[in-house]
């Protein structure tokens, strides 16, 4: 069992929290603060309990070198705005100055450390580096779900340096929804799959062939499945290397009695940045057209399946949602998920692009859970035991 945040006596302690502040930046400003907001419940809890808080995170891939463009300073500014209080910032995560600042913080204060990945020792899970990091706190809390599938110094190596360690409220929530919901699921279970790539979702699909009652497939990946069934898909995205895997998935779904539902129609264009040229049935997509969103008949059928489900997982957009012309499928399904959530269904949105899509349509607060992890959420949903959880469990 991993100790959860509310089991700790935090009063008068310094809490070192590994957060995931790996957020998009544009010209030195945070353009999407979803991950920062998601860490607030844990930070607020520690402050309200009378603790001082030290936060550490990575940002981007500076590959072990200081890169001013990947400084956490803009993140610190966003965080201070959200917390409505000033915070302390150190321009190095393991310097003596930084450690002195952590030692000197009072209860109710927050100290943010500079990007962990300015040191290559972070991703190398270097023990000396994790020992230096551990000097920042009395209690270690991991709340960085987005990196839970990596064994790095700040989330795995560091654990052995602490007697008091556990997971934060975000980690707990991610674990409860992405793992707990599917251990003994409330049936019927529907998996909605989309996006461009199949290979990254293969283990998820294989696991859900034993978990789901229905798998709805949209997005670019639908064409590889349609091709595997012998359909002509025009100029649509097809992953030739995955046609055989798609065929096997269709075969396995029949053996395990899982209904795989493919789109009947698509909104199409001549190229991926083009304007919609109309809706075509999956039987007659013209050779110069590519399907870029699921069409109205498909949306209606997918909605019927969602209506009949008690647990729904959505991973991968239904179309090129970044282009307004091809956002309808994803938007309509997001609205449907919000509706069934209200009626009591458990609705979970996998991280990455799907999380971005649901936030674009502003339904993120109307579903049960939107994951902050991309790769981490895929691995946890695929049934893997992630290194960050393993480290907190075993030691
Ligand atoms: P993935 O990382 O595999 O989940 O893919 C997400 C990307 O798939 C998004 O950026 C979408 O624009 C893209 N996508 C969704 N549907 C299609 C489609 N029909 N054709 C090409 N790309 C698509």
């Amino acid at each position: 069992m991993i100790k959860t945040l509310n089991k700790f006596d935090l009063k008068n302690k310094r809490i070192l929290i590994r957060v995931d502040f790996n957020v998009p930046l544009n010209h030195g400003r945070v353009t999407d603060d979803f991950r920062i907001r998601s860490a607030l419940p844990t930070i607020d809890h520690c402050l309200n309990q009378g603790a001082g808080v030290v936060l550490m995170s990575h940002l981007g891939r500076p590959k072990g070198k200081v890169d001013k463009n990947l400084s956490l300073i803009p993140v610190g500014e966003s965080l201070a705005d959200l917390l409505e209080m000033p915070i302390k910032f150190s321009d190095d995560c393991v310097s003596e100055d930084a450690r002195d600042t952590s030692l000197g913080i009072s209860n109710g204060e927050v100290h943010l450390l500079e990007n962990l990945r300015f040191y290559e020792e972070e991703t190398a899970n270097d023990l000396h580096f994790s020992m230096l990091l551990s000097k920042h706190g009395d209690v270690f809390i991991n709340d960085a779900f987005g990196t839970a599938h990596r064994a790095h110094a700040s989330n795995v190596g560091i654990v052995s340096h602490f007697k008091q360690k556990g997971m934060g409220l975000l980690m707990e929530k991610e674990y409860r929804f992405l793992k707990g919901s599917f251990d003994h699921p409330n049936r019927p279970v529907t998996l909605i799959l989309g996006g461009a790539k199949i290979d990254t979702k293969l283990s998820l699909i294989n696991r859900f062939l034993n978990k789901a009652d229905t798998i709805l497939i949209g997005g670019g990946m639908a064409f590889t499945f349609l091709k595997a069934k012998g359909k002509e898909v025009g100029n649509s995205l097809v992953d030739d290397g995955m046609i055989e895997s798609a065929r096997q998935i269709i075969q396995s779904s029949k053996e395990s009695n899982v209904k795989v539902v493919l789109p009947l129609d698509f909104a199409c264009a001549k190229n991926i940045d083009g304007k919609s040229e109309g809706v075509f049935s999956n039987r007659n997509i013209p050779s110069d057209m590519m399907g870029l969103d699921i069409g109205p008949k498909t949306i209606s059928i997918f909605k019927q399946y969602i209506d009949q489900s008690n647990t729904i997982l959505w991973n991968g957009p239904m179309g090129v949602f970044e282009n307004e012309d091809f956002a309808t499928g994803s938007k309509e399904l997001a609205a449907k998920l919000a509706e069934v959530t209200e009626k009591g269904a458990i609705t979970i949105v996998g991280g990455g692009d799907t999380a971005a899509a649901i936030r674009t349509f502003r339904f993120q607060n109307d579903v049960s859970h939107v994951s902050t992890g991309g790769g981490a959420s895929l691995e946890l949903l695929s049934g893997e035991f992630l290194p960050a959880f393993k480290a907190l469990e075993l030691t």
Side-chain angles (χ1 to χ4, degrees):
M1 282 290 281
I2 302 172
K3 198 164 168 183
T4 51
L5 193 64
N6 49 19
K7 300 268 165 55
F8 288 88
D9 175 12
L10 302 172
K11 200 171 168 51
N12 298 327
K13 303 229 168 76
R14 271 174 309 132
I15 320 302
L16 174 60
I17 311 176
R18 173 50 160 115
V19 285
D20 178 9
F21 285 167
N22 185 28
V23 294
L25 296 179
N26 191 5
H27 293 101
R29 289 194 74 86
V30 174
T31 55
D32 180 349
D33 64 2
F34 174 53
R35 284 181 161 168
I36 306 176
R37 284 178 188 277
S38 301
L40 292 180
T42 292
I43 298 169
D44 282 337
H45 177 87
C46 294
L47 297 176
N48 293 336
Q49 296 289 308
V53 166
V54 182
L55 301 170
M56 57 178 176
S57 177
H58 76 284
L59 176 61
R61 294 185 176 174
K63 305 221 166 100
K65 298 211 167 56
V66 175
D67 177 348
K68 289 263 178 292
N69 295 321
L70 294 174
S71 167
L72 280 165
I73 290 174
V75 170
E77 287 164 355
S78 281
L79 178 65
D81 281 350
L82 290 167
L83 289 171
E84 295 180 349
M85 61 184 245
I87 65 165
K88 293 185 190 301
F89 179 80
S90 286
D91 62 3
D92 188 300
C93 58
V94 286
S95 66
E96 235 177 279
D97 273 359
R99 281 181 278 148
D100 284 348
T101 303
S102 290
L103 278 176
I105 59 166
S106 311
N107 297 336
E109 283 190 327
V110 174
H111 175 208
L112 173 65
L113 305 177
E114 183 55 290
N115 195 340
L116 293 163
R117 290 197 193 163
F118 285 176
Y119 285 87
E120 64 186 8
E121 287 88 341
E122 161 63 357
T123 51
N125 194 13
D126 180 89
L127 212 62
H128 181 69
F129 183 70
S130 57
M131 183 275 289
L132 291 178
L133 288 174
S134 73
K135 302 289 179 201
H136 286 286
D138 313 309
V139 177
F140 172 68
I141 294 295
N142 189 353
D143 212 24
F145 180 68
T147 41
H149 59 318
R150 305 278 182 234
H152 292 166
S154 65
N155 68 342
V156 170
I158 196 164
V159 173
S160 64
H161 300 291
F162 282 89
K163 279 210 178 73
Q164 297 211 65
K165 56 227 165 182
M167 62 179 164
L169 299 173
L170 175 62
M171 284 289 259
E172 196 184 342
K173 187 169 180 239
E174 295 272 12
Y175 198 75
R176 178 157 43 91
F177 277 106
L178 301 184
K179 187 172 183 307
S181 308
F182 299 104
D183 282 347
H184 304 286
N186 193 0
R187 293 191 175 279
V189 174
T190 293
L191 168 64
I192 310 168
L193 272 180
K197 299 179 289 287
I198 299 185
D199 55 344
T200 53
K201 292 170 190 152
L202 255 192
S203 38
L204 173 74
I205 301 172
N206 284 326
R207 179 158 187 251
F208 273 75
L209 284 171
N210 295 312
K211 289 269 173 210
D213 299 284
T214 308
I215 302 181
L216 310 175
I217 302 183
M221 70 158 71
F223 300 104
T224 304
F225 282 90
L226 288 170
K227 193 89 193 251
K229 292 186 87 167
K231 301 245 186 223
E232 279 310 318
V233 297
N235 207 12
S236 307
L237 182 82
V238 171
D239 186 345
D240 287 319
M242 294 307 290
I243 292 179
E244 188 45 41
S245 299
R247 210 170 272 136
Q248 277 168 19
I249 289 165
I250 294 167
Q251 183 56 33
S252 307
S253 71
K254 287 181 184 145
E255 287 157 16
S256 45
N257 226 357
V258 176
K259 200 162 175 50
V260 171
V261 187
L262 293 171
L264 289 180
D265 56 353
F266 295 96
C268 297
K270 292 231 166 79
N271 58 63
I272 199 154
D273 311 309
K275 286 240 145 261
S276 175
E277 307 260 351
V279 172
F280 296 85
S281 138
N282 71 12
R283 285 188 307 277
N284 60 7
I285 301 175
S287 58
D288 62 342
M289 291 279 186
M290 53 200 319
L292 294 176
D293 193 14
I294 52 173
K297 278 195 190 131
T298 308
I299 292 173
S300 162
I301 290 170
F302 281 13
K303 280 182 173 177
Q304 286 170 31
Y305 280 102
I306 294 172
D307 246 335
Q308 293 157 11
S309 307
N310 283 318
T311 307
I312 302 138
L313 169 65
W314 181 19
N315 202 302
M318 292 295 98
V320 182
F321 73 97
E322 299 91 337
N323 177 344
E324 180 83 51
D325 273 15
F326 304 108
T328 310
S330 302
K331 196 173 183 172
E332 293 263 332
L333 293 202
K336 188 72 197 173
L337 286 189
E339 188 189 314
V340 298
T341 310
E342 177 120 40
K343 291 189 204 151
I346 294 173
T347 52
I348 300 158
V349 177
D353 280 314
T354 331
I358 198 152
R359 282 181 288 125
T360 305
F361 311 135
R362 302 190 185 280
F363 286 112
Q364 72 273 25
N365 297 322
D366 304 320
V367 293
S368 310
H369 181 61
V370 180
S371 179
T372 55
S377 76
L378 266 180
E379 289 193 24
L380 189 54
L381 286 164
S382 303
E384 282 165 44
F385 196 20
L386 309 187
F389 290 105
K390 208 183 285 178
L392 289 170
E393 184 123 290
L394 294 180
T395 53

